[in-house]
Each structure stands twice: as structure tokens, then as C-alpha cells.
Amino acid sequence: MAYGFPTRFYGALGFKITSPFGPRTDPFNPGSADFHTGIDYGGRPAGVPVPATIGGTVFAAKSYQGWGNLVGVRDWQNYNHLFAHLRTLLVVPGQTVARGNPVGTLGSTGKATGPHLHYQINRPGTGVNGSGYFGDPDLYFFPEEEVKMESAIVLGSDVDYASAAPLGDALNCPFFSRSALGQLRAVKTVYVCGGSLAPVREAAPEAKLVDLSGTNRFETAAKIYEYLKSSTRRLVVRG
Ligand SMILES: [Zn+2]
């Protein structure tokens, strides 16, 4: 389960993660180990637009063997955002794009088992190299996103998600795992739903923290429930 910006961005458009970042079984050689250097988003038909997750300059827009039709967008920090397996390319190198601009359409060109977007972020200077990956794209820091975030929910672990989901609906705010605390710096209010406060305080020194953590997942669930019950009117008004 991932909680970062790319997944929320594509999730809002109906895309679903079909293969997360990290170790996996090679889809082309069942049984042998593979390391997935990006996130795959599918669940939408081939041909739908694939928007850029970030603004920047297009530095690549062509077919690269395994990548298939690939668009690369270089952001303001010189990180390279790669959008692979596209059916068609809608941008050309040198072009400037903004977040949300379609860079291509969803496809299955290159090494792909079906229509999906392979989204990968490469470190500065690594271009389109497969080994240049930054890490899990959901852990990448999207600065424009940070300032817009009014509130956020931090989970102790994945098991807290089910209890925290109604709170997320009420607040209309994103969830963060413990590994993504680096993105919380400018969030105004952080709801801590599981786990200790100290690392959250460190990651978001200015934030108001609402401590809904119990000593175990059941206590946490009860605290969240009580909080929702006592503050329903306020949360609804905040909409
Ligand atoms: Zn992939």
C-alpha cells in the first residue's frame, strides 16, 4: 500500500497500482527474482491520457526498447520522471509541461504484459537509465504539493488503515506511511493514527498534532472512533 503523491494523483483519475515499487517476481520469468524500479498504474483502458505528475521540461519522447514509448520530464531539481509503455506520445523534447498535461496515452509498448503506465523517477544525471532510479516514487518530495496540504493522516502501519479510513473521508486528506514522513514539513494539522508521536513531531515541527494513537491497533481504532464521534459537526463544516 502506498500513500504518496503519485498514487494519489493517478488514483484520483481511476488508475490503480498493478505492481508496486520494490522486489517482485519477474513477470516474464515466473519464479525468478526481479526488482521493480517504479510503480505500475493500470486499471484503465488503453488509449486514455497519461498526465504528467510534475511540471518540467520534456527531455525524451521516443521508443526505447523495453520501455516502449517513453516520455521523460525533467523537474526543477533535475530529477527525471519517466512515463513508459505509452501507446502514443503527445509531447516532443524541449517542450515545457505542467502537472496534469497529458504526455501520452496509456499503452503496452515495449516489455509489458498489458496496458499500464510504468512511472519511475530517476536521479539527476541518470537520464532514462533503468538503474538510475531514485527509489519508490511515492516517497519523492513534491514541493508544490506540500504547501497545499492542510491536513494529513499518519498511520502506525498498514493495519491502521481500516480504522483511519473514515477519518480520511471526513477530512478529505491523504494518508502517509511512516516511511513518507519527509513530506509532512508544511502540513498544518497531522492526525497520528498509530505509532509514536516523536518522529512525526520531528518531521512536522510546526504542525498541530492530533494524537489518536493507542498502545495497540484496537486502542487506536477506538480513539479514532471517539474522535470522529465528538467532532463530526466540525469536520463536516470543514468539508
Ligand atoms: Zn513497471
Side-chain angles (χ1 to χ4, degrees), residues 43-137:
R44 299 225 51 208
V48 299
V50 170
T53 47
I54 196 164
T57 306
V58 177
F59 69 94
K62 66 168 189 177
S63 177
Y64 288 86
Q65 297 190 346
W67 292 124
N69 289 325
L70 174 82
V71 167
V73 173
R74 189 159 293 153
D75 73 16
W76 66 292
Q77 303 186 99
N78 289 321
Y79 279 80
N80 305 304
H81 300 251
L82 309 181
F83 306 87
H85 308 306
L86 301 169
R87 177 190 272 186
T88 52
L89 302 169
L90 299 175
V91 291
V92 293
Q95 191 177 333
T96 301
V97 293
R99 169 177 295 154
N101 288 167
V103 293
T105 58
L106 192 71
S108 50
T109 55
K111 212 175 160 194
T113 52
H116 74 279
L117 166 70
H118 172 94
Y119 176 57
Q120 172 169 338
I121 302 174
N122 273 3
R123 297 184 309 275
T126 59
V128 303
N129 287 347
S131 59
Y133 62 90
F134 145 83
D136 186 341

Side-chain angles (χ1 to χ4, degrees), residues 19 24 36-40 85 116-119:
S19 183
R24 65 172 179 183
H36 193 217
T37 53
I39 301 177
D40 289 347
H85 308 306
H116 74 279
L117 166 70
H118 172 94
Y119 176 57

Side-chain angles (χ1 to χ4, degrees), residues 10-37:
Y10 286 119
L13 298 168
F15 289 91
K16 304 226 173 339
I17 293 182
T18 53
S19 183
F21 174 87
R24 65 172 179 183
T25 302
D26 186 343
F28 291 89
N29 295 294
S32 70
D34 183 30
F35 191 89
H36 193 217
T37 53

